[in-house]
Amino acid sequence: MLLQSFLALICLGILSGRALADTTYFQSSDYSSGALGSGPYQTFKSSSSTPSAWNFVVPYNDSTAGQIESGLVFIAPRGTNVNSPGALIYDKSGDLIWDGTHFGQTLTFKVATYQGEPVILLWTGTVAGAGVGFGYDLILNNKYEIIANFTAANLNGSLADFHDIEMTSNDTALITAYQPKTWDLSAFNITDGWLLDSIAQEVDPSTGEAIFTWVASDHVDPNSCYASPGTTGTSSDNPWDYFHINAVNKDGAGNYLISSRHCHAIYKVASSGDIIWTLGGHNSTVTMNDGTTFAWQHDVRWHNQETQMSLFDNEGTAWELDSSSSRGLLLDFDASNNSVSLNKQWIPYNVTVSESQGNVGILDSGNTLIGWGQIPYFSEYDADGQFLYVVQFGVGDVQSYRAYHYNWTATPNTRPSVFVETDGSNTTVYTSWNGATEVDTWQLSGSTADSPQLAVPISNTSRSGFETAISVTDTSKNFAYFQVAALNSNKTIIVYSNFTASDGSQQDPAANQTVDSSNSSGSDSPSSGSTQVTVGSRMITFVLVTVWILFSIV
């Protein structure tokens, strides 16, 4: 009975939707049924972050773990059941690496190369009810500092949309935008009609100037698409989104690849703006062989020197379902015969239609990571198209525009966060460093009230997840403050935290606590965040919940 009471207290915290720090679930029916809440999330002591908690619906095992491509997962959960919408980076065990939710809700969130360095591209702004955005595109360096902030240019006040940001080899950015304009919609019995036009731009982030602008209505007849005006098209606040641009690429010859969701079509566009060919839709000029038809698609990308094309085939929208399931597609493009053939398709674990969003990421190893958009899942497949794992990151209104895999290395310009908890004679120090990828070990030191900046080494502890709990084993000294130093795999100190007391008061690091400028945080302000992991704490939670269920049955 005592054991049942103890487990009940543990489960009470889990069932509230708040999970223990660095908690991931494995084939949890409670998670999938919503018994843990519509958007389960993790909480920490050293950080205010509340990232979505994962449920491995199909976990990796001894035979599949070695096939998983190493790297990090980039998603941006949003929706009414997401506790903190925004950009999140996880390791592939489900532990948080970086919480970027302070930028607010985002949709495009990815890694690219800019000026020879790896960077993060992140859109921030306002999402309109019509499913388009008005905001700004940010470029962050590997310290998470903003190094460029730009938007659409020369569009009478229209700003960058969230649907896509792609960097070119010339350090220009391909972006999307939307612009309302008056339009003759008398054919639809609409007087004083309004169109929401789709625009692709190539912009120089360093100057904000537009290098190329393509306006859909100049080249594609609104009557050639699949989304009728319905109740829209009546005002500037309620325009008809006939085209709905959601992806733009550029090939080596300087041509653009533009995706129209509402026209079910992909357009190859010359630098002059003229359409070279159309794939899909009512007026396809490319021959589509068996299994290549798509509808309401997202995330169209060239591969292998424009001989292959990947896309997310939604097969449905809020008002129409054209199939029983969405899918990822890889098409072979035969330029000589002007045709496409089906190379591969990926079907979701739960075989359902994702009515919006989604992407297909083909990885260097041949694996594929697919984000299922409106359905809060992503999954990694091996080169043969078999599941390696499937992750669920919510139950209710939880979604992520895309899900990406990247190898990302970062050292934040902040200091680690420290939280000191004292319970009688027991003291535990919790530490995290938001966004850090190189921490191997935490070195704990203490100091006295009389000499708050004189660090006395206590212990070294291997990092464990986003937040590491360190028990203070040396009770012979009356420590008033505690400090951590982050060590990399070479046992080199990357950064020192502030000295922190159990009441939260802090002292700066000592004057002699400096590190190489290339590794230094360069900041005195604490932050949250850090690293990668073991699955031990998560398995403990899983086992405890399982035991609780068994005891309940008994």
Side-chain angles (χ1 to χ4, degrees), residues 374-419:
Q374 185 175 320
I375 308 301
Y377 286 79
F378 63 86
S379 44
E380 186 170 339
Y381 299 77
D382 65 18
D384 296 323
Q386 301 299 310
F387 291 119
L388 294 175
Y389 62 85
V390 179
V391 168
Q392 179 183 24
F393 55 91
V395 181
D397 180 17
V398 178
Q399 52 198 285
S400 181
Y401 180 59
R402 293 174 181 165
Y404 290 108
H405 163 284
Y406 296 109
N407 291 305
W408 172 251
T409 301
T411 301
N413 69 348
T414 56
R415 296 196 184 280
S417 271
V418 172
F419 179 83

mmCIF file of all heavy atoms in Angstrom, residues 374-419:
data_model
loop_
_atom_site.group_PDB
_atom_site.id
_atom_site.type_symbol
_atom_site.label_atom_id
_atom_site.label_comp_id
_atom_site.label_asym_id
_atom_site.label_seq_id
_atom_site.Cartn_x
_atom_site.Cartn_y
_atom_site.Cartn_z
ATOM 1 N N GLN A 374 0.891 18.920 -39.563
ATOM 2 C CA GLN A 374 -0.215 19.124 -38.629
ATOM 3 C C GLN A 374 -0.380 17.956 -37.675
ATOM 4 O O GLN A 374 -0.891 18.124 -36.564
ATOM 5 C CB GLN A 374 -1.512 19.329 -39.419
ATOM 6 C CG GLN A 374 -2.714 19.666 -38.546
ATOM 7 C CD GLN A 374 -3.951 19.979 -39.367
ATOM 8 O OE1 GLN A 374 -3.875 20.633 -40.407
ATOM 9 N NE2 GLN A 374 -5.096 19.508 -38.920
ATOM 10 N N ILE A 375 0.051 16.776 -38.074
ATOM 11 C CA ILE A 375 0.031 15.603 -37.192
ATOM 12 C C ILE A 375 1.325 15.622 -36.383
ATOM 13 O O ILE A 375 2.408 15.627 -36.963
ATOM 14 C CB ILE A 375 -0.064 14.298 -37.999
ATOM 15 C CG1 ILE A 375 -1.228 14.366 -38.993
ATOM 16 C CG2 ILE A 375 -0.207 13.105 -37.080
ATOM 17 C CD1 ILE A 375 -2.576 14.591 -38.366
ATOM 18 N N PRO A 376 1.273 15.634 -35.037
ATOM 19 C CA PRO A 376 2.488 15.853 -34.232
ATOM 20 C C PRO A 376 3.388 14.622 -34.131
ATOM 21 O O PRO A 376 3.586 14.041 -33.064
ATOM 22 C CB PRO A 376 1.931 16.253 -32.867
ATOM 23 C CG PRO A 376 0.605 15.561 -32.790
ATOM 24 C CD PRO A 376 0.056 15.574 -34.193
ATOM 25 N N TYR A 377 3.934 14.228 -35.280
ATOM 26 C CA TYR A 377 4.845 13.093 -35.368
ATOM 27 C C TYR A 377 6.008 13.456 -36.279
ATOM 28 O O TYR A 377 5.878 14.284 -37.174
ATOM 29 C CB TYR A 377 4.142 11.876 -35.997
ATOM 30 C CG TYR A 377 3.148 11.145 -35.142
ATOM 31 C CD1 TYR A 377 1.868 11.646 -34.956
ATOM 32 C CD2 TYR A 377 3.466 9.928 -34.540
ATOM 33 C CE1 TYR A 377 0.930 10.969 -34.186
ATOM 34 C CE2 TYR A 377 2.541 9.239 -33.772
ATOM 35 C CZ TYR A 377 1.274 9.758 -33.599
ATOM 36 O OH TYR A 377 0.362 9.080 -32.831
ATOM 37 N N PHE A 378 7.141 12.807 -36.063
ATOM 38 C CA PHE A 378 8.188 12.740 -37.074
ATOM 39 C C PHE A 378 8.806 11.359 -36.997
ATOM 40 O O PHE A 378 8.701 10.658 -35.986
ATOM 41 C CB PHE A 378 9.243 13.842 -36.908
ATOM 42 C CG PHE A 378 10.035 13.789 -35.637
ATOM 43 C CD1 PHE A 378 11.179 13.016 -35.523
ATOM 44 C CD2 PHE A 378 9.646 14.541 -34.532
ATOM 45 C CE1 PHE A 378 11.918 12.977 -34.342
ATOM 46 C CE2 PHE A 378 10.375 14.522 -33.350
ATOM 47 C CZ PHE A 378 11.509 13.734 -33.251
ATOM 48 N N SER A 379 9.410 10.920 -38.082
ATOM 49 C CA SER A 379 9.940 9.558 -38.133
ATOM 50 C C SER A 379 11.172 9.509 -39.012
ATOM 51 O O SER A 379 11.285 10.261 -39.988
ATOM 52 C CB SER A 379 8.868 8.587 -38.652
ATOM 53 O OG SER A 379 8.176 9.111 -39.763
ATOM 54 N N GLU A 380 12.097 8.640 -38.638
ATOM 55 C CA GLU A 380 13.301 8.420 -39.443
ATOM 56 C C GLU A 380 13.212 7.037 -40.073
ATOM 57 O O GLU A 380 12.859 6.055 -39.413
ATOM 58 C CB GLU A 380 14.569 8.550 -38.597
ATOM 59 C CG GLU A 380 15.851 8.463 -39.427
ATOM 60 C CD GLU A 380 17.103 8.825 -38.642
ATOM 61 O OE1 GLU A 380 16.989 9.521 -37.607
ATOM 62 O OE2 GLU A 380 18.209 8.417 -39.081
ATOM 63 N N TYR A 381 13.534 6.982 -41.365
ATOM 64 C CA TYR A 381 13.487 5.742 -42.137
ATOM 65 C C TYR A 381 14.905 5.395 -42.589
ATOM 66 O O TYR A 381 15.724 6.287 -42.836
ATOM 67 C CB TYR A 381 12.616 5.907 -43.381
ATOM 68 C CG TYR A 381 11.173 6.255 -43.124
ATOM 69 C CD1 TYR A 381 10.803 7.557 -42.779
ATOM 70 C CD2 TYR A 381 10.167 5.299 -43.259
ATOM 71 C CE1 TYR A 381 9.475 7.888 -42.566
ATOM 72 C CE2 TYR A 381 8.829 5.629 -43.048
ATOM 73 C CZ TYR A 381 8.494 6.923 -42.697
ATOM 74 O OH TYR A 381 7.177 7.251 -42.486
ATOM 75 N N ASP A 382 15.174 4.103 -42.755
ATOM 76 C CA ASP A 382 16.459 3.711 -43.314
ATOM 77 C C ASP A 382 16.407 3.854 -44.840
ATOM 78 O O ASP A 382 15.389 4.270 -45.415
ATOM 79 C CB ASP A 382 16.853 2.296 -42.878
ATOM 80 C CG ASP A 382 15.916 1.208 -43.419
ATOM 81 O OD1 ASP A 382 15.165 1.460 -44.380
ATOM 82 O OD2 ASP A 382 15.941 0.086 -42.864
ATOM 83 N N ALA A 383 17.511 3.508 -45.495
ATOM 84 C CA ALA A 383 17.599 3.704 -46.948
ATOM 85 C C ALA A 383 16.601 2.842 -47.710
ATOM 86 O O ALA A 383 16.287 3.134 -48.869
ATOM 87 C CB ALA A 383 19.018 3.404 -47.415
ATOM 88 N N ASP A 384 16.095 1.788 -47.053
ATOM 89 C CA ASP A 384 15.104 0.917 -47.693
ATOM 90 C C ASP A 384 13.674 1.346 -47.385
ATOM 91 O O ASP A 384 12.721 0.662 -47.775
ATOM 92 C CB ASP A 384 15.307 -0.533 -47.244
ATOM 93 C CG ASP A 384 16.650 -1.092 -47.700
ATOM 94 O OD1 ASP A 384 17.080 -0.745 -48.821
ATOM 95 O OD2 ASP A 384 17.278 -1.846 -46.934
ATOM 96 N N GLY A 385 13.524 2.465 -46.650
ATOM 97 C CA GLY A 385 12.190 2.964 -46.356
ATOM 98 C C GLY A 385 11.537 2.342 -45.144
ATOM 99 O O GLY A 385 10.323 2.487 -44.950
ATOM 100 N N GLN A 386 12.322 1.658 -44.291
ATOM 101 C CA GLN A 386 11.775 1.032 -43.092
ATOM 102 C C GLN A 386 11.923 1.966 -41.894
ATOM 103 O O GLN A 386 12.924 2.675 -41.761
ATOM 104 C CB GLN A 386 12.498 -0.294 -42.801
ATOM 105 C CG GLN A 386 12.393 -1.306 -43.925
ATOM 106 C CD GLN A 386 10.962 -1.694 -44.223
ATOM 107 O OE1 GLN A 386 10.205 -2.047 -43.318
ATOM 108 N NE2 GLN A 386 10.585 -1.620 -45.497
ATOM 109 N N PHE A 387 10.920 1.944 -40.999
ATOM 110 C CA PHE A 387 10.987 2.767 -39.795
ATOM 111 C C PHE A 387 12.205 2.412 -38.951
ATOM 112 O O PHE A 387 12.469 1.244 -38.661
ATOM 113 C CB PHE A 387 9.758 2.541 -38.908
ATOM 114 C CG PHE A 387 8.466 3.065 -39.469
ATOM 115 C CD1 PHE A 387 7.412 2.206 -39.733
ATOM 116 C CD2 PHE A 387 8.285 4.419 -39.712
ATOM 117 C CE1 PHE A 387 6.215 2.673 -40.229
ATOM 118 C CE2 PHE A 387 7.095 4.902 -40.223
ATOM 119 C CZ PHE A 387 6.056 4.030 -40.482
ATOM 120 N N LEU A 388 12.944 3.425 -38.514
ATOM 121 C CA LEU A 388 13.955 3.240 -37.472
ATOM 122 C C LEU A 388 13.378 3.663 -36.130
ATOM 123 O O LEU A 388 13.681 3.067 -35.109
ATOM 124 C CB LEU A 388 15.202 4.066 -37.795
ATOM 125 C CG LEU A 388 15.972 3.623 -39.045
ATOM 126 C CD1 LEU A 388 17.108 4.591 -39.336
ATOM 127 C CD2 LEU A 388 16.502 2.201 -38.865
ATOM 128 N N TYR A 389 12.573 4.705 -36.129
ATOM 129 C CA TYR A 389 11.831 5.123 -34.940
ATOM 130 C C TYR A 389 10.734 6.082 -35.376
ATOM 131 O O TYR A 389 10.788 6.673 -36.459
ATOM 132 C CB TYR A 389 12.730 5.791 -33.884
ATOM 133 C CG TYR A 389 13.398 7.053 -34.354
ATOM 134 C CD1 TYR A 389 12.746 8.289 -34.287
ATOM 135 C CD2 TYR A 389 14.694 7.033 -34.870
ATOM 136 C CE1 TYR A 389 13.351 9.445 -34.726
ATOM 137 C CE2 TYR A 389 15.309 8.194 -35.308
ATOM 138 C CZ TYR A 389 14.633 9.395 -35.244
ATOM 139 O OH TYR A 389 15.230 10.543 -35.685
ATOM 140 N N VAL A 390 9.737 6.219 -34.524
ATOM 141 C CA VAL A 390 8.647 7.166 -34.746
ATOM 142 C C VAL A 390 8.416 7.908 -33.440
ATOM 143 O O VAL A 390 8.260 7.280 -32.388
ATOM 144 C CB VAL A 390 7.341 6.470 -35.175
ATOM 145 C CG1 VAL A 390 6.223 7.495 -35.360
ATOM 146 C CG2 VAL A 390 7.553 5.661 -36.454
ATOM 147 N N VAL A 391 8.402 9.235 -33.490
ATOM 148 C CA VAL A 391 8.225 10.057 -32.296
ATOM 149 C C VAL A 391 6.928 10.853 -32.400
ATOM 150 O O VAL A 391 6.634 11.453 -33.432
ATOM 151 C CB VAL A 391 9.412 11.018 -32.101
ATOM 152 C CG1 VAL A 391 9.102 12.071 -31.038
ATOM 153 C CG2 VAL A 391 10.670 10.249 -31.730
ATOM 154 N N GLN A 392 6.183 10.845 -31.306
ATOM 155 C CA GLN A 392 5.000 11.681 -31.141
ATOM 156 C C GLN A 392 5.364 12.784 -30.151
ATOM 157 O O GLN A 392 5.955 12.512 -29.102
ATOM 158 C CB GLN A 392 3.863 10.821 -30.592
ATOM 159 C CG GLN A 392 2.564 11.527 -30.327
ATOM 160 C CD GLN A 392 1.525 10.587 -29.706
ATOM 161 O OE1 GLN A 392 1.876 9.583 -29.089
ATOM 162 N NE2 GLN A 392 0.255 10.917 -29.857
ATOM 163 N N PHE A 393 5.024 14.050 -30.457
ATOM 164 C CA PHE A 393 5.391 15.133 -29.542
ATOM 165 C C PHE A 393 4.173 15.942 -29.104
ATOM 166 O O PHE A 393 4.296 17.092 -28.694
ATOM 167 C CB PHE A 393 6.470 16.032 -30.151
ATOM 168 C CG PHE A 393 6.149 16.611 -31.497
ATOM 169 C CD1 PHE A 393 5.530 17.842 -31.622
ATOM 170 C CD2 PHE A 393 6.472 15.912 -32.650
ATOM 171 C CE1 PHE A 393 5.237 18.375 -32.857
ATOM 172 C CE2 PHE A 393 6.192 16.443 -33.901
ATOM 173 C CZ PHE A 393 5.569 17.674 -34.006
ATOM 174 N N GLY A 394 3.007 15.340 -29.146
ATOM 175 C CA GLY A 394 1.787 15.962 -28.666
ATOM 176 C C GLY A 394 0.598 15.118 -29.057
ATOM 177 O O GLY A 394 0.728 14.126 -29.792
ATOM 178 N N VAL A 395 -0.562 15.501 -28.550
ATOM 179 C CA VAL A 395 -1.774 14.713 -28.791
ATOM 180 C C VAL A 395 -2.884 15.592 -29.360
ATOM 181 O O VAL A 395 -3.555 15.242 -30.324
ATOM 182 C CB VAL A 395 -2.260 14.041 -27.487
ATOM 183 C CG1 VAL A 395 -3.516 13.208 -27.743
ATOM 184 C CG2 VAL A 395 -1.160 13.169 -26.892
ATOM 185 N N GLY A 396 -3.098 16.755 -28.770
ATOM 186 C CA GLY A 396 -4.186 17.632 -29.182
ATOM 187 C C GLY A 396 -3.768 18.552 -30.308
ATOM 188 O O GLY A 396 -3.206 18.112 -31.317
ATOM 189 N N ASP A 397 -4.027 19.844 -30.138
ATOM 190 C CA ASP A 397 -3.634 20.826 -31.140
ATOM 191 C C ASP A 397 -2.156 21.142 -30.966
ATOM 192 O O ASP A 397 -1.760 22.156 -30.384
ATOM 193 C CB ASP A 397 -4.487 22.094 -30.998
ATOM 194 C CG ASP A 397 -4.117 23.165 -32.022
ATOM 195 O OD1 ASP A 397 -3.445 22.820 -33.017
ATOM 196 O OD2 ASP A 397 -4.476 24.346 -31.817
ATOM 197 N N VAL A 398 -1.330 20.235 -31.470
ATOM 198 C CA VAL A 398 0.131 20.352 -31.443
ATOM 199 C C VAL A 398 0.616 20.023 -32.844
ATOM 200 O O VAL A 398 0.206 19.010 -33.423
ATOM 201 C CB VAL A 398 0.763 19.387 -30.424
ATOM 202 C CG1 VAL A 398 2.287 19.512 -30.453
ATOM 203 C CG2 VAL A 398 0.226 19.656 -29.024
ATOM 204 N N GLN A 399 1.475 20.846 -33.396
ATOM 205 C CA GLN A 399 1.962 20.621 -34.754
ATOM 206 C C GLN A 399 3.320 21.280 -34.898
ATOM 207 O O GLN A 399 3.712 22.116 -34.076
ATOM 208 C CB GLN A 399 0.977 21.196 -35.769
ATOM 209 C CG GLN A 399 0.590 22.643 -35.509
ATOM 210 C CD GLN A 399 -0.674 23.065 -36.226
ATOM 211 O OE1 GLN A 399 -0.647 23.285 -37.430
ATOM 212 N NE2 GLN A 399 -1.779 23.189 -35.496
ATOM 213 N N SER A 400 4.047 20.901 -35.921
ATOM 214 C CA SER A 400 5.302 21.565 -36.261
ATOM 215 C C SER A 400 5.370 21.654 -37.775
ATOM 216 O O SER A 400 5.198 20.645 -38.467
ATOM 217 C CB SER A 400 6.515 20.793 -35.729
ATOM 218 O OG SER A 400 7.724 21.473 -36.042
ATOM 219 N N TYR A 401 5.580 22.853 -38.283
ATOM 220 C CA TYR A 401 5.571 23.065 -39.723
ATOM 221 C C TYR A 401 6.499 22.082 -40.431
ATOM 222 O O TYR A 401 6.140 21.465 -41.427
ATOM 223 C CB TYR A 401 5.955 24.508 -40.019
ATOM 224 C CG TYR A 401 5.991 24.861 -41.484
ATOM 225 C CD1 TYR A 401 4.858 24.735 -42.282
ATOM 226 C CD2 TYR A 401 7.159 25.349 -42.070
ATOM 227 C CE1 TYR A 401 4.887 25.065 -43.624
ATOM 228 C CE2 TYR A 401 7.195 25.694 -43.413
ATOM 229 C CZ TYR A 401 6.061 25.541 -44.185
ATOM 230 O OH TYR A 401 6.094 25.875 -45.517
ATOM 231 N N ARG A 402 7.693 21.931 -39.894
ATOM 232 C CA ARG A 402 8.649 20.957 -40.434
ATOM 233 C C ARG A 402 9.452 20.349 -39.292
ATOM 234 O O ARG A 402 9.449 20.862 -38.173
ATOM 235 C CB ARG A 402 9.596 21.614 -41.442
ATOM 236 C CG ARG A 402 8.904 22.077 -42.723
ATOM 237 C CD ARG A 402 9.842 22.850 -43.633
ATOM 238 N NE ARG A 402 9.154 23.306 -44.840
ATOM 239 C CZ ARG A 402 9.619 24.222 -45.675
ATOM 240 N NH1 ARG A 402 10.798 24.789 -45.411
ATOM 241 N NH2 ARG A 402 8.943 24.585 -46.754
ATOM 242 N N ALA A 403 10.156 19.261 -39.584
ATOM 243 C CA ALA A 403 11.089 18.630 -38.640
ATOM 244 C C ALA A 403 12.370 18.334 -39.412
ATOM 245 O O ALA A 403 12.324 17.723 -40.490
ATOM 246 C CB ALA A 403 10.499 17.350 -38.064
ATOM 247 N N TYR A 404 13.493 18.777 -38.869
ATOM 248 C CA TYR A 404 14.767 18.642 -39.566
ATOM 249 C C TYR A 404 15.783 17.888 -38.713
ATOM 250 O O TYR A 404 15.704 17.869 -37.486
ATOM 251 C CB TYR A 404 15.347 20.014 -39.887
ATOM 252 C CG TYR A 404 14.611 20.796 -40.947
ATOM 253 C CD1 TYR A 404 13.851 21.911 -40.599
ATOM 254 C CD2 TYR A 404 14.708 20.458 -42.291
ATOM 255 C CE1 TYR A 404 13.195 22.665 -41.577
ATOM 256 C CE2 TYR A 404 14.056 21.202 -43.271
ATOM 257 C CZ TYR A 404 13.303 22.290 -42.908
ATOM 258 O OH TYR A 404 12.655 23.028 -43.864
ATOM 259 N N HIS A 405 16.780 17.340 -39.417
ATOM 260 C CA HIS A 405 17.952 16.744 -38.775
ATOM 261 C C HIS A 405 19.191 17.506 -39.227
ATOM 262 O O HIS A 405 19.372 17.755 -40.418
ATOM 263 C CB HIS A 405 18.075 15.270 -39.193
ATOM 264 C CG HIS A 405 19.447 14.682 -38.930
ATOM 265 N ND1 HIS A 405 20.537 14.955 -39.728
ATOM 266 C CD2 HIS A 405 19.891 13.856 -37.965
ATOM 267 C CE1 HIS A 405 21.598 14.315 -39.259
ATOM 268 N NE2 HIS A 405 21.228 13.649 -38.197
ATOM 269 N N TYR A 406 20.043 17.887 -38.249
ATOM 270 C CA TYR A 406 21.296 18.561 -38.596
ATOM 271 C C TYR A 406 22.384 18.155 -37.607
ATOM 272 O O TYR A 406 22.119 17.831 -36.438
ATOM 273 C CB TYR A 406 21.155 20.088 -38.530
ATOM 274 C CG TYR A 406 20.193 20.667 -39.525
ATOM 275 C CD1 TYR A 406 18.969 21.180 -39.102
ATOM 276 C CD2 TYR A 406 20.493 20.718 -40.887
ATOM 277 C CE1 TYR A 406 18.072 21.722 -40.016
ATOM 278 C CE2 TYR A 406 19.602 21.262 -41.802
ATOM 279 C CZ TYR A 406 18.392 21.756 -41.356
ATOM 280 O OH TYR A 406 17.499 22.283 -42.251
ATOM 281 N N ASN A 407 23.617 18.230 -38.084
ATOM 282 C CA ASN A 407 24.768 18.204 -37.198
ATOM 283 C C ASN A 407 25.080 19.663 -36.862
ATOM 284 O O ASN A 407 25.461 20.436 -37.749
ATOM 285 C CB ASN A 407 25.959 17.529 -37.876
ATOM 286 C CG ASN A 407 25.728 16.051 -38.070
ATOM 287 O OD1 ASN A 407 25.435 15.335 -37.114
ATOM 288 N ND2 ASN A 407 25.832 15.581 -39.304
ATOM 289 N N TRP A 408 24.898 20.021 -35.627
ATOM 290 C CA TRP A 408 24.995 21.426 -35.203
ATOM 291 C C TRP A 408 25.870 21.510 -33.974
ATOM 292 O O TRP A 408 25.681 20.771 -33.007
ATOM 293 C CB TRP A 408 23.601 21.966 -34.911
ATOM 294 C CG TRP A 408 23.547 23.331 -34.286
ATOM 295 C CD1 TRP A 408 23.182 23.622 -32.998
ATOM 296 C CD2 TRP A 408 23.846 24.583 -34.908
ATOM 297 N NE1 TRP A 408 23.229 24.977 -32.784
ATOM 298 C CE2 TRP A 408 23.642 25.603 -33.951
ATOM 299 C CE3 TRP A 408 24.270 24.946 -36.193
ATOM 300 C CZ2 TRP A 408 23.842 26.949 -34.221
ATOM 301 C CZ3 TRP A 408 24.474 26.298 -36.467
ATOM 302 C CH2 TRP A 408 24.264 27.275 -35.496
ATOM 303 N N THR A 409 26.850 22.408 -34.019
ATOM 304 C CA THR A 409 27.759 22.631 -32.902
ATOM 305 C C THR A 409 27.643 24.082 -32.473
ATOM 306 O O THR A 409 27.720 24.994 -33.311
ATOM 307 C CB THR A 409 29.208 22.326 -33.308
ATOM 308 O OG1 THR A 409 29.296 20.970 -33.744
ATOM 309 C CG2 THR A 409 30.147 22.533 -32.124
ATOM 310 N N ALA A 410 27.452 24.311 -31.170
ATOM 311 C CA ALA A 410 27.248 25.676 -30.698
ATOM 312 C C ALA A 410 27.793 25.868 -29.295
ATOM 313 O O ALA A 410 27.736 24.958 -28.458
ATOM 314 C CB ALA A 410 25.760 26.032 -30.723
ATOM 315 N N THR A 411 28.309 27.063 -29.060
ATOM 316 C CA THR A 411 28.734 27.498 -27.731
ATOM 317 C C THR A 411 28.042 28.829 -27.465
ATOM 318 O O THR A 411 28.418 29.858 -28.046
ATOM 319 C CB THR A 411 30.257 27.669 -27.652
ATOM 320 O OG1 THR A 411 30.891 26.434 -27.965
ATOM 321 C CG2 THR A 411 30.671 28.108 -26.251
ATOM 322 N N PRO A 412 27.030 28.865 -26.622
ATOM 323 C CA PRO A 412 26.242 30.090 -26.418
ATOM 324 C C PRO A 412 27.076 31.228 -25.835
ATOM 325 O O PRO A 412 28.129 31.007 -25.213
ATOM 326 C CB PRO A 412 25.159 29.649 -25.426
ATOM 327 C CG PRO A 412 25.112 28.157 -25.524
ATOM 328 C CD PRO A 412 26.507 27.729 -25.846
ATOM 329 N N ASN A 413 26.584 32.444 -26.006
ATOM 330 C CA ASN A 413 27.268 33.612 -25.434
ATOM 331 C C ASN A 413 26.720 33.942 -24.048
ATOM 332 O O ASN A 413 26.785 35.081 -23.601
ATOM 333 C CB ASN A 413 27.131 34.824 -26.360
ATOM 334 C CG ASN A 413 25.694 35.341 -26.421
ATOM 335 O OD1 ASN A 413 24.765 34.678 -25.964
ATOM 336 N ND2 ASN A 413 25.515 36.523 -26.987
ATOM 337 N N THR A 414 26.168 32.949 -23.392
ATOM 338 C CA THR A 414 25.624 33.111 -22.045
ATOM 339 C C THR A 414 26.373 32.196 -21.087
ATOM 340 O O THR A 414 27.207 31.387 -21.509
ATOM 341 C CB THR A 414 24.129 32.733 -22.028
ATOM 342 O OG1 THR A 414 24.001 31.401 -22.534
ATOM 343 C CG2 THR A 414 23.314 33.668 -22.895
ATOM 344 N N ARG A 415 26.060 32.316 -19.820
ATOM 345 C CA ARG A 415 26.642 31.418 -18.823
ATOM 346 C C ARG A 415 25.646 30.328 -18.451
ATOM 347 O O ARG A 415 24.433 30.514 -18.609
ATOM 348 C CB ARG A 415 27.038 32.199 -17.566
ATOM 349 C CG ARG A 415 28.126 33.228 -17.806
ATOM 350 C CD ARG A 415 28.760 33.696 -16.513
ATOM 351 N NE ARG A 415 29.733 34.760 -16.750
ATOM 352 C CZ ARG A 415 30.976 34.556 -17.174
ATOM 353 N NH1 ARG A 415 31.394 33.331 -17.405
ATOM 354 N NH2 ARG A 415 31.789 35.578 -17.373
ATOM 355 N N PRO A 416 26.133 29.208 -17.956
ATOM 356 C CA PRO A 416 25.217 28.169 -17.485
ATOM 357 C C PRO A 416 24.335 28.673 -16.347
ATOM 358 O O PRO A 416 24.722 29.563 -15.589
ATOM 359 C CB PRO A 416 26.156 27.051 -16.996
ATOM 360 C CG PRO A 416 27.456 27.306 -17.696
ATOM 361 C CD PRO A 416 27.541 28.793 -17.846
ATOM 362 N N SER A 417 23.155 28.102 -16.244
ATOM 363 C CA SER A 417 22.257 28.388 -15.134
ATOM 364 C C SER A 417 22.515 27.397 -14.004
ATOM 365 O O SER A 417 22.792 26.227 -14.246
ATOM 366 C CB SER A 417 20.798 28.250 -15.575
ATOM 367 O OG SER A 417 20.314 29.453 -16.083
ATOM 368 N N VAL A 418 22.368 27.882 -12.783
ATOM 369 C CA VAL A 418 22.583 27.050 -11.592
ATOM 370 C C VAL A 418 21.424 27.269 -10.634
ATOM 371 O O VAL A 418 21.015 28.409 -10.385
ATOM 372 C CB VAL A 418 23.918 27.392 -10.898
ATOM 373 C CG1 VAL A 418 24.039 26.655 -9.568
ATOM 374 C CG2 VAL A 418 25.100 27.054 -11.810
ATOM 375 N N PHE A 419 20.904 26.180 -10.114
ATOM 376 C CA PHE A 419 19.860 26.240 -9.084
ATOM 377 C C PHE A 419 20.306 25.366 -7.924
ATOM 378 O O PHE A 419 20.662 24.203 -8.113
ATOM 379 C CB PHE A 419 18.521 25.734 -9.634
ATOM 380 C CG PHE A 419 17.398 25.746 -8.637
ATOM 381 C CD1 PHE A 419 16.673 26.905 -8.403
ATOM 382 C CD2 PHE A 419 17.075 24.597 -7.910
ATOM 383 C CE1 PHE A 419 15.634 26.914 -7.482
ATOM 384 C CE2 PHE A 419 16.051 24.596 -6.986
ATOM 385 C CZ PHE A 419 15.321 25.755 -6.765
#
